[in-house]
Every structure is written in C-alpha cells, then in structure tokens.
Amino acid sequence: MMFDSIYIVGSAVTAFKRWPERSVKDLTGEVVSAALSDGLLACDQVDAAWFSNTRQPILEGQNTIRGEAALAPAGLTGLPVFNIENACASGSSALFSAASHIQAGLGAITLAVGVEKMFFPDRREKMFAAFMGGTDIELIDQTYERLATMGKQLVPAGTIMAKERSFFMDVYAAFARKHMEVFGTTQEHLAAAASKAHYHSTFNPKAQYQQEISVTGVLTDKPIVWPLTRAMCAPVSDGAAAVVLAHESVLTQDQKARAVRLRSIGMATAIERELTDYHNHVGRRAALKAYEAAGIAPKDIDVVTLHDATAFAEIQQIENLGLCPIGEGGAFTLSGATTLGGKVPVNPCGGLMSKGHPVGATGLAQIDELVLQLRGEAGERQVDGARLAVAENGGGHLGVEEAVTLVTVLGN
C-alpha cells in the first residue's frame, strides 16, 4: 500500500536484554514517553493506538485487553486502542494499521507500540512452548516430520542438537539445509552473516549482545540444530519499541525538520507452492508489493533492517529483497556487501541475532533504527548518505514459508 503524506515524527526503543525485574507496563511507559518526547507530542494529541504483544496471555495470563491495561499507566486513556498479534510480524502489522487509520482520514496522529516480556526464569518450559503457536498446531507432527527430512543427507554423522530450543530453530535449520542443497550455500556463509551482526552490535549500546565474534567463533559455538549454532540464532529478549505517525498537515516546523516519510508497506501471507519455487516466497511477494507502491527498485536502497531470527533468515531475505540474485545470498554476505561500509548495509543495529528479539517489539525496533539512519542520528553505525531505507519483518510458519511478511519503505 502506498501512503500519502504520512510521516514518522517520533520513535524510540528500550535496551533489549533479559529483564526479569521489569514488567510490560514498565517497559511500555518508558518507550511511549520517549517516542512522544521525540515527536514533540503529548498523550492527549494521539488519536488512536495499536499495541503489539504475543507472549502475555501464555506467560502471564493477561489477554483480551493487553493494550488498554499497559497503555493506561502511560497516560493513554479514553482513546481507541487496538490489540495486534501477528507472530513475529506483530510490530510491523501495528504500524501498517496505524498508518492505514490516518490514510483513511480517521485521525491525524497515531501510535504503534510493541512490547514483549519473554524471559521468565521460572517458566522456561512455557517460554519455549509459546513458540509452537506460531504454526498450525493441528499439523505439528507432520510439520516436524517434513522439516527433519529437508537436506537430511547434509547433516554430519554424530551431530549434536540442543535439547532446549524453539520450534523455529528447527524451521530455519531445515530451510537452510534445503538452500544448501539447491544452491551450494555453506555453513561458512551463515557464520559470516552472524559474525557481521555481532560486529554491528558493538556500535549499538541498546543491543543485548555487544561483542564481536569471528566466523570461526560462530562455527564453533554451541550447536543448536545443524547447521545453526547459538551465535547464529536470536536470543530470548525483553524490550519495547514505539513509533508515532502523523499526517503532514498537522506537523509543526520543528517536527518537519526530523520527520521521516512512510512511503509504502507491502504485506503478504503464505501460499501453497513448491519448496524450491523461491521466486514466489512470501518475503519476495511482500517486497515486490512495497517496491511497486513506492516506485523504487532494489538498486535505490541505501540501508536495510530485516528479520534475521537466524543467520539463514538473513541470507534468504536479502535474496527476497532483491539485493542479490536468488541463491547468491551467502556469497553476497561473505563478500562484505552487507557490512557497514559495504554496498548495502544490513542490520547496522545488530539485528535480531545480536540486538535481540522481543517478538512484539521487533518490527517497530527495525523502523526505529531506520528512522535514526535517515535522520543521520545513528552515531558510529551511521550509513553515509542514507536516503532510502527498507525493513522486512516476517512471522510464523505455514507450509513452506513464513505465515506473514511485511516490507516497509521509508525515505523523504
């Protein structure tokens, strides 16, 4: 969808980490206050709010009114509040809905908030079980059987797997093995993506991990499920992110000076297709929709944030976004093209693998990073001359791909 005269005027993220002592309300209050302050706005100027969260019902028992309960202590009462849950794409789905509200003429200023408390030391079984709801639970046995057969012949004899891991690590590992089988992608390619993410995170004080890891270090880290090691996988995280949108007609001169234009969002969901029909992958279909609506091509993109829940996800999504040909994502990454200073930097904030992945907040945190980049406020990780930015945020699993993906284009 193309958006007309809609701008991001404020955004913010908390630090991402494991915070057993903090609550959803606490994280919400911090990020809402920061985003409104960034946009030179007060609570009573917001026309409507969207609240993205996926774990509270399972881990804390708070459901049905998550947004209303979390936003009230932050000073947002009396206005329309909508609760959004769309797997790992919940945050970008909230942004899509908040922008559509303005596009439809129903309000001039909206707020999208994503908050997640995922780490509960005393509820570890529930923490990992929560991931299962991101696929069709009626087909879970068949899904596991299919995943286990994908690229099975590539798995070295005697390979160890982590006993405690999320369902989605099995999903990404299976897709990685198939990509290896079809295109010759290697474990070293995956390690290069992970090493790059950890390097970028050293420039981000809000990242959960802030240490460099060499390609060798990634390869020799704790095995999760082949070909993935721990350093190739996003951690369990707590955190929050928020974005304030406004129609151009209500912006003050001070707000206009730092506002970032929302150009388009492409959204797609899973279809039935052959596993190797990569040209019709949900991520590629969403990207093509976003590019067409914004009137851009991949060659125009200066900086990208994408959903690297694992190192393989990054390789697949740079292909889907058209940054390189399908099948060449591994070599493109290994060449340094996606590293700061390269052809098109990907996840300069450290991405999900290193910045962290509090599910409901992730999509909006990606947008916050791009806002900083387009404003020229990203500090040591600033991409020189960034004018056009793209975010890819996928979630869930259905059939042979993510259940849903959104691709967002930003740039004045």
Side-chain angles (χ1 to χ4, degrees):
M1 177 185 289
M2 178 180 70
F3 293 103
D4 181 35
S5 303
I6 298 176
Y7 287 78
I8 295 172
V9 293
S11 71
V13 296
T14 66
F16 286 0
K17 58 188 295 185
R18 293 183 173 186
W19 254 321
E21 74 280 6
R22 297 191 68 180
S23 67
V24 165
K25 289 180 179 178
D26 182 25
L27 292 166
T28 300
E30 177 186 334
V31 81
V32 166
S33 175
L36 289 174
S37 177
D38 185 57
L40 305 177
L41 291 163
C43 288
D44 60 6
Q45 293 176 272
V46 178
D47 296 317
W50 281 257
F51 187 79
S52 161
N53 175 273
T54 70
R55 292 298 188 263
Q56 262 201 298
I58 299 168
L59 297 177
E60 298 186 78
Q62 177 67 68
N63 59 13
T64 71
I65 59 161
R66 282 170 274 177
E68 290 88 341
L71 291 169
L76 289 161
T77 58
L79 76 169
V81 172
F82 302 91
N83 292 287
I84 297 288
E85 184 175 342
N86 209 7
C88 298
S90 296
S92 52
S93 298
L95 182 75
F96 182 89
S97 298
S100 298
H101 189 83
I102 298 175
Q103 184 78 6
L106 300 175
I109 299 174
T110 58
L111 174 68
V113 186
V115 188
E116 207 74 81
K117 270 284 299 175
M118 296 176 64
F119 181 65
F120 291 86
D122 58 339
R123 306 174 205 177
R124 294 188 67 86
E125 186 174 340
K126 281 189 175 182
M127 280 165 44
F128 286 99
F131 288 97
M132 302 296 290
T135 192
D136 188 333
I137 58 171
E138 292 186 7
L139 302 176
I140 192 66
D141 290 337
Q142 298 96 308
T143 298
Y144 265 121
E145 290 173 8
R146 184 173 67 252
L147 295 174
T149 64
M150 291 167 61
K152 182 179 180 180
Q153 75 282 2
L154 299 178
V155 181
T159 295
I160 299 171
M161 294 191 296
K163 292 182 179 180
E164 192 176 59
R165 64 182 188 271
S166 97
F167 161 76
F168 281 92
M169 298 306 98
D170 288 86
V171 172
Y172 282 118
F175 289 159
R177 295 192 299 268
K178 190 64 180 180
H179 202 271
M180 291 172 157
E181 183 183 292
V182 174
F183 299 112
T185 303
T186 68
Q187 195 179 27
E188 183 183 11
H189 289 150
L190 306 186
S195 180
K196 182 266 304 178
H198 288 280
Y199 165 66
H200 285 177
S201 73
T202 64
F203 305 115
N204 183 2
K206 292 186 177 180
Q208 187 161 342
Y209 299 147
Q210 297 177 39
Q211 300 85 30
E212 285 192 62
I213 305 178
S214 67
V215 169
T216 300
V218 173
L219 289 170
T220 56
D221 199 9
K222 177 184 176 181
I224 300 300
V225 53
W226 201 88
L228 303 177
T229 66
R230 179 173 52 187
M232 297 180 190
C233 304
V236 172
S237 312
D238 301 333
V243 171
V244 186
L245 297 164
H247 193 274
E248 184 178 24
S249 62
V250 300
L251 297 180
T252 66
Q253 287 303 313
D254 287 341
Q255 289 169 327
K256 286 181 180 179
R258 297 175 68 243
V260 171
R261 180 184 170 197
L262 173 62
R263 296 182 62 162
S264 71
I265 300 179
M267 184 176 185
T269 56
I271 60 172
E272 291 187 13
R273 62 171 176 84
E274 291 296 323
L275 177 58
T276 55
D277 181 13
Y278 292 105
H279 288 275
N280 280 311
H281 189 281
V282 62
R284 184 171 177 82
R285 289 184 285 111
L288 293 176
K289 286 183 179 181
Y291 296 168
E292 182 179 6
I296 68 161
K299 64 180 178 59
D300 302 321
I301 301 168
D302 297 311
V303 59
V304 168
T305 54
L306 55 72
H307 198 85
D308 63 330
T310 68
F312 172 70
E314 174 162 330
I315 286 173
Q316 182 161 65
Q317 295 309 333
I318 61 176
E319 295 176 2
N320 285 334
L321 293 173
L323 305 184
C324 65
I326 289 175
E328 297 182 18
F332 190 72
T333 300
L334 193 61
S335 75
T338 60
T339 303
L340 281 166
K343 182 179 179 181
V344 54
V346 172
N347 289 336
C349 55
L352 283 62
M353 280 187 284
S354 201
K355 180 182 181 179
H357 182 26
V359 173
T362 290
L364 293 170
Q366 291 178 317
I367 299 301
D368 176 77
E369 174 65 19
L370 297 184
V371 168
L372 292 176
Q373 292 287 345
L374 294 174
R375 287 175 174 173
E377 298 175 358
E380 291 183 277
R381 63 183 187 273
Q382 179 65 49
V383 175
D384 291 341
R387 293 182 299 276
L388 187 75
V390 167
E392 178 274 329
N393 184 208
H397 166 266
L398 203 57
V400 296
E401 58 191 2
E402 292 85 350
V404 55
T405 297
L406 292 93
V407 173
T408 303
V409 179
L410 303 177
N412 295 331

